Amino acid sequence: MTMRLYTVLCDGQEQVALGCGASGEGLCLLRDLGIEVRDMNDLICSGRIDEVRAKDPEKCAACRSMDSVKILAPIPEPRQDLVCLGVNYAEHAAESHRYNASLDSTATATVYFSKRVNRATAPGDPVPSYPGLVDSFDYEVELGVVIGKDAKDVSEEEALDHVFGYTIINDVSARNLQTRHSQWYRGKSLDGFTPMGPCIVTPEELGDVQDLAISCRINGELRQNSNTSLMLQSVRGAIAELSRGMTLKAGTVIATGTPAGVGLGMDPPGFLKSGDVMACAVEGIGELVNPVE
Ligand code: MG
């Protein structure tokens, strides 16, 4: 069954919705399927996803068109900072090191950092460019992993059992702030710097998460074009490693790193300016498009 989960603004309220129709062209609000949840975090943490699975969205009498609602980020307000993997594709590690030697390409252990997300940016919404503060605005398409049940000391074999679903994240970065401070937190965490969406796809729909095309176009030009098979640390490996000694709570969002082709890797660097359009895509999930304000 198609399981594409959205957060939408409908009648002035945030609602969780299920993609419906033969090609996922419509939406059913969970409310109209008899499932009342406060938001996506509540759906994840309550375990009521099995009730959603039991519904047949083809038979929903209240199927709406996508155009009749405003699609928001699937988790508009994550309960905790995002956990991010840095330099998790070899070619991106190399281009990062060429740009600034402080961005280490020789790390022998996975680089983890965090990203503040007061509110994730909705598909289609502009990302602030902060003139006067940011002089090197960059994009990073990433596969996002949403944890579905608390994970503590899980093995790699068990790790994917803790995944609720997958989404697309644009890890927007201010390179001047990222490299000015010895930790990346500030340069990654400005308000609006986390476009997410357009939906969460459940694992059974997606197939092998380590074999998905991942790409980003800027104003239509293909800049990033890779495959999740090239991650240095896998999704299952990251969950297992992070969960050793640290609980990954349900609702945690993990951004799994970006492949080569970001602005800092170009000669001269291809940083973005107001009016540029970023289109991030991951096979089986869709496309996340945001202009630079
Ligand atoms: Mg990143």
Side-chain angles (χ1 to χ4, degrees):
M1 190 186 81
T2 304
M3 283 282 283
R4 304 174 76 81
L5 293 157
Y6 295 83
T7 295
V8 302
L9 192 62
C10 181
D11 304 329
Q13 283 189 314
E14 287 186 18
Q15 298 278 341
V16 180
L18 179 63
C20 64
S23 53
E25 69 276 14
L27 289 170
C28 290
L29 303 184
L30 294 196
R31 184 184 68 188
D32 293 337
L33 294 170
I35 301 169
E36 297 278 354
V37 292
R38 286 192 304 280
D39 55 22
M40 191 72 78
N41 279 320
D42 187 33
L43 177 66
I44 294 167
C45 296
S46 66
R48 298 186 71 189
I49 187 66
D50 289 338
E51 290 177 50
V52 182
R53 274 200 184 88
K55 299 287 183 183
D56 183 354
E58 306 285 334
K59 292 181 180 157
C60 172
C63 189
R64 304 158 192 262
S65 75
M66 292 267 182
D67 297 340
S68 68
V69 298
K70 161 77 173 163
I71 295 175
L72 303 174
I75 304 179
E77 295 183 3
R79 289 181 176 171
Q80 296 179 305
D81 287 356
L82 264 57
V83 180
C84 302
L85 277 65
V87 292
N88 198 33
Y89 291 76
E91 288 183 17
H92 174 62
E95 71 179 359
S96 299
H97 190 72
R98 281 196 300 273
Y99 171 72
N100 187 308
S102 77
L103 301 173
D104 192 2
S105 68
T106 60
T108 53
T110 304
V111 175
Y112 296 109
F113 66 97
S114 58
K115 183 176 174 83
R116 172 62 51 90
V117 186
N118 288 322
R119 185 153 178 99
T121 299
D125 280 2
V127 177
S129 52
Y130 299 100
L133 176 65
V134 175
D135 66 8
S136 39
F137 182 108
D138 213 347
Y139 51 89
E140 295 189 352
V141 61
E142 307 199 7
L143 173 73
V145 180
V146 181
I147 298 295
K149 55 183 178 181
D150 291 2
K152 177 77 181 284
D153 296 330
V154 301
S155 66
E156 290 202 18
E157 291 68 34
E158 305 165 309
L160 297 188
D161 298 341
H162 294 260
V163 173
F164 178 81
Y166 298 94
T167 188
I168 304 171
I169 289 169
N170 185 349
D171 178 19
V172 176
S173 304
R175 300 302 183 195
N176 60 320
L177 300 181
Q178 182 184 354
T179 53
R180 178 188 305 165
H181 302 274
S182 67
Q183 299 206 356
W184 304 350
Y185 190 68
R186 183 168 182 238
K188 297 281 189 172
S189 297
L190 302 187
D191 288 350
F193 267 21
T194 308
M196 184 194 300
C199 60
I200 295 173
V201 177
T202 50
E204 63 269 24
E205 284 299 309
L206 205 53
D208 182 359
V209 73
Q210 300 301 156
D211 187 18
L212 302 175
I214 180 167
S215 67
C216 181
R217 290 178 185 272
I218 303 299
N219 304 326
E221 176 198 348
L222 187 61
R223 294 266 187 103
Q224 296 186 272
N225 187 22
S226 189
N227 190 286
T228 58
S229 62
L230 297 174
M231 286 183 190
L232 299 175
Q233 172 65 283
S234 65
V235 173
R236 64 171 71 236
I239 293 170
E241 184 165 73
L242 285 164
S243 79
R244 285 184 66 191
M246 180 178 90
T247 302
L248 291 172
K249 303 277 285 181
T252 296
V253 182
I254 301 172
T256 55
T258 201
V262 297
L264 67 66
M266 300 171 71
D267 184 20
F271 297 127
L272 303 192
K273 59 186 187 310
S274 178
D276 287 340
V277 176
M278 308 174 281
C280 297
V282 176
E283 181 181 3
I285 301 175
E287 191 175 48
L288 173 65
V289 181
N290 296 89
V292 181
E293 189 168 69

